[in-house]
Amino acid sequence: MKEIFVDVNPYQVRVALTEDGDLLEMQVEARGRERLVGNIYKGKVKNILPGMQAAFVDIGQEKNAFLYAGDIIEDPSEFDFESEKKKTVPVQVPNIKEILKQDQEILVQVLKQPGGTKGERITTHITLPGRLMVLMPTLDHVGVSRRIIDESERERLKQIFTRLKPAGMGVIVRTAAEGLDEKEFEKELTFLSRLWERIRNKGNLVSAPRLIHAEETLLFRSIRDMFTDEVSSFYINNKQYYDKVRAFVDLTVPELSDRVVLLDEDEEIFDRYRIENQLEKAFNRKVWLKSGAYFVIEETEALTVIDVNTGKYIGDNDLQETIVNTNIEAAQEIAKQLRLRDIGGIVVIDFIDMEIIENRQRVISALAEACRNDRTKCNVLGMTELGLIEMTRKKMRQKLSALVETQCPYCQGRGKVFSELSIAMKIRRAVLRELKLNPAGLYCVEVAPSISRYVQNMNSNGDDLLPKNENVRFFLKEIPGMHIHDVKVLAMNDSADPMLLKKYVSFS
């Protein structure tokens, strides 16, 4: 049983999809800072870079957007689907200087959010998503979602949309269209066609740079993309948005209206339905499996590495069967974690070594099967010569960690800090440096409590941190909340208040 939970507060909207109480997907959007992906702009070409086969386009944002030549020229090979035997040869992309001109005004759509020093990635191939289909006004193709497996149904849908679609336009049939009749398709196709006409007319009337059409906010994208017959309930904790959701659902899928439920606005619904706890675990580096095995996830911007270990799982009698069972369990959970964390790009998985080729194939098949439930396209490529399994997951939006986490200012993303011994050596160097620069008879060293205890233990064990000096005294001052990396050495007057010094710890 699938359910959708929407938590609305003055600062952000969070949407969770669960199945039998387990969190499957989580999306977050800050109110007032909605994502740009899907927005359509009229932009002006600012720079053309033939060496990169790209151009920078002003769309009115902080940085110019990036347009690759391959996102201008149509490539039919991108629209091949599993059931179609015919393959087309990819189009040779011409020099971008032959396609675009300086200061040219073009209609573009955002493919990828800006990040770091980069602006948005854009395309000239506009797509207008609906519940049952995606209209492609600039591409003349008909494709059917790979998640519709029945070949006869795929062929039926393809024939219907080949006949219904506007001339010169294309359609991708979504999973929600499976089993529906032609009248439903005609209704949505008419709406999307009229929407495109309004967008095109507005684009002809205004000058660049200008926003022409804004994509739906997270809440309404969730209704469009996730709220299907498989979802038994749609919970929301905000009366104002509840009314908007009911109106939208009554218009688009009236048969699901009674599944929209308003909860108490003062209630933390993510706590009530155990979502908050599961969400916190989604940021853990180490993921434990029910068997006692675990895997570790290391994320970078373009590559994610996953390392599987047996952990506490010892199996029964057969070592090879223990290993393959652990790997299969890990494969199923890895597919779930990739979807939950919304990790995209290249994924490399180091499963526990398997000697038997058949067992390797069992694990690869288990991973591919688990990825079938993912709404985002996944491709399990197989095993490398080093025994690593490679796969890709399409980048649709920022991953969950990028939306709710920020880099640690102390470790700079490394995930590690210096050892206590290293900090003790840092104290030694800092004190000796201060002795030379600012000679005094009394010094106070401010450190974190854990470092203070470590230094005291060193001294009590006879491992003096500082050389003996009868003319100089050293005191430790514990600063609660101070980071362990921080060390501050203060030269003090010999006549310092004795009562004050009693609060400090001598380590000379």
Side-chain angles (χ1 to χ4, degrees):
M1 181 179 67
K2 291 183 178 180
E3 296 175 305
I4 294 175
F5 298 88
V6 180
D7 176 34
V8 181
N9 64 50
Y11 307 102
Q12 63 180 197
V13 175
R14 300 189 297 172
V15 178
L17 174 66
T18 68
E19 184 172 19
D20 297 329
D22 293 332
L23 184 59
L24 296 181
E25 289 186 37
M26 180 72 197
Q27 295 185 46
V28 181
E29 187 171 77
R31 295 179 67 175
R33 294 204 305 264
E34 286 76 13
R35 73 170 191 167
L36 302 179
V37 173
N39 285 3
I40 300 173
Y41 295 86
K42 188 172 186 180
K44 178 178 287 189
V45 178
K46 287 297 183 181
N47 298 305
I48 298 176
L49 308 175
M52 295 178 61
Q53 276 289 73
F56 287 100
V57 181
D58 181 10
I59 60 172
Q61 296 298 311
E62 184 178 348
K63 298 183 179 71
N64 288 338
F66 181 82
L67 177 61
Y68 173 60
D71 292 323
I72 304 173
I73 297 299
E74 172 189 348
D75 186 353
S77 66
E78 295 182 1
F79 295 91
D80 287 338
F81 287 78
E82 294 175 359
S83 66
E84 299 173 4
K85 307 300 181 184
K86 183 181 177 180
K87 298 293 180 183
T88 54
V89 179
V91 171
Q92 184 67 36
V93 179
N95 191 301
I96 194 166
K97 293 179 69 175
E98 300 174 10
I99 311 171
L100 296 178
K101 295 180 180 179
Q102 192 83 17
D103 294 328
Q104 180 180 346
E105 295 189 350
I106 55 176
L107 204 63
V108 296
Q109 187 172 38
V110 177
L111 281 177
K112 186 178 178 182
Q113 288 282 117
T117 60
K118 301 177 183 177
E120 298 81 0
R121 182 177 172 181
I122 55 177
T123 178
T124 60
H125 298 314
I126 311 298
T127 58
L128 300 175
R131 282 183 54 81
L132 308 178
M133 71 197 74
V134 178
L135 180 66
M136 304 182 294
T138 63
L139 300 176
D140 190 2
H141 293 282
V142 174
V144 180
S145 168
R146 63 189 174 88
R147 297 184 66 190
I148 299 178
I149 302 174
D150 185 84
E151 288 297 332
S152 60
E153 177 64 7
R154 293 176 67 89
E155 187 60 31
R156 181 186 78 91
L157 292 171
K158 189 171 182 179
Q159 290 179 3
I160 290 175
F161 280 94
T162 300
R163 185 175 68 256
L164 290 181
K165 74 177 183 66
M169 297 188 188
V171 173
I172 295 178
V173 186
R174 305 187 73 172
T175 311
E178 187 173 11
L180 299 183
D181 58 37
E182 196 169 312
K183 290 183 179 180
E184 295 289 332
F185 304 146
E186 288 178 341
K187 180 181 176 181
E188 184 165 283
L189 193 55
T190 300
F191 169 78
L192 293 176
S193 299
R194 289 175 178 172
L195 175 60
W196 168 241
E197 192 65 27
R198 289 197 298 271
I199 291 171
R200 189 171 61 175
N201 289 338
K202 184 177 179 180
N204 291 333
L205 293 174
V206 302
S207 58
R210 187 71 62 87
L211 173 65
I212 303 298
H213 172 75
E215 170 65 307
E216 298 284 1
T217 61
L218 172 60
L219 179 57
F220 294 100
R221 290 198 309 271
S222 302
I223 299 171
R224 182 188 69 198
D225 300 338
M226 298 165 58
F227 195 22
T228 64
D229 287 335
E230 296 178 342
V231 177
S232 62
S233 301
F234 186 106
Y235 297 104
I236 186 169
N237 65 344
N238 183 285
K239 180 63 167 62
Q240 180 184 358
Y241 278 83
Y242 167 79
D243 293 336
K244 293 179 180 179
V245 168
R246 280 298 300 261
F248 187 77
V249 172
D250 287 342
L251 182 65
T252 55
V253 275
E255 65 274 15
L256 302 181
S257 289
D258 59 347
R259 303 186 190 184
V260 181
V261 180
L262 175 65
L263 297 179
D264 186 352
E265 295 194 35
D266 296 327
E267 184 177 17
E268 292 292 338
I269 62 173
F270 276 29
D271 285 335
R272 174 180 171 181
Y273 292 96
R274 298 189 309 105
I275 296 173
E276 203 70 60
N277 184 48
Q278 294 183 66
L279 182 58
E280 290 178 3
K281 291 181 180 179
F283 301 110
N284 290 345
R285 179 173 170 267
K286 181 182 289 187
V287 178
W288 287 96
L289 304 175
K290 293 179 179 179
S291 64
Y294 69 90
F295 57 84
V296 176
I297 301 179
E298 293 286 357
E299 298 181 39
T300 66
E301 185 174 347
L303 174 70
T304 298
V305 179
I306 302 176
D307 182 27
V308 181
N309 297 277
T310 52
K312 303 173 184 177
Y313 181 52
I314 58 175
D316 297 320
N317 299 321
D318 190 332
L319 173 61
Q320 287 302 311
E321 193 63 23
T322 298
I323 291 174
V324 75
N325 288 339
T326 302
N327 284 340
I328 289 175
E329 183 185 14
Q332 294 168 344
E333 184 62 26
I334 286 169
K336 177 181 175 182
Q337 290 294 324
L338 293 177
R339 183 180 179 185
L340 175 57
R341 301 175 190 227
D342 214 354
I343 294 174
I346 302 169
V347 180
V348 177
I349 308 170
D350 185 11
F351 285 103
I352 303 168
D353 291 340
M354 294 170 287
E355 297 177 358
I356 303 173
I357 296 178
E358 289 78 5
N359 287 344
R360 297 179 184 177
Q361 191 55 50
R362 286 172 62 189
V363 173
I364 294 173
S365 299
L367 179 61
E369 182 62 30
C371 288
R372 288 185 180 275
N373 296 322
D374 198 333
R375 295 190 301 121
T376 300
K377 184 178 180 181
C378 298
N379 187 14
V380 180
L381 303 174
M383 186 169 288
T384 69
E385 293 181 359
L386 297 176
L388 306 174
I389 289 183
E390 293 179 310
M391 65 170 291
T392 60
R393 187 173 185 272
K394 188 175 181 180
K395 285 186 176 181
M396 301 295 291
R397 49 190 168 263
Q398 285 184 296
K399 54 190 175 184
L400 186 60
S401 60
L403 292 171
V404 301
E405 293 181 325
T406 187
Q407 183 172 278
C408 172
Y410 294 102
C411 73
Q412 299 300 319
R414 295 192 306 271
K416 295 181 179 181
V417 293
F418 287 116
S419 66
E420 292 170 326
L421 176 59
S422 297
I423 303 301
M425 294 302 100
K426 182 178 180 180
I427 293 173
R428 176 184 170 84
R429 292 190 296 270
V431 169
L432 294 178
R433 189 183 306 118
E434 189 69 19
L435 276 170
K436 290 182 179 180
L437 296 176
N438 191 10
L442 188 63
Y443 292 88
C444 177
V445 183
E446 296 182 352
V447 292
S450 62
I451 299 301
S452 174
R453 291 191 293 271
Y454 183 82
V455 172
Q456 292 175 59
N457 288 335
M458 287 183 65
N459 285 353
S460 63
N461 293 332
D463 300 324
D464 294 330
L465 183 62
L466 298 172
K468 295 294 184 180
N469 190 330
E470 295 180 356
N471 300 320
V472 181
R473 290 188 297 164
F474 303 96
F475 291 88
L476 286 172
K477 181 181 180 181
E478 297 183 2
I479 307 296
M482 191 173 184
H483 193 272
I484 64 170
H485 281 186
D486 295 338
V487 173
K488 190 174 182 180
V489 181
L490 302 173
M492 302 179 68
N493 193 297
D494 291 343
S495 60
D497 185 356
M499 297 302 294
L500 179 65
L501 294 178
K502 285 185 177 180
K503 298 180 180 179
Y504 304 158
V505 178
S506 174
F507 73 114
S508 57

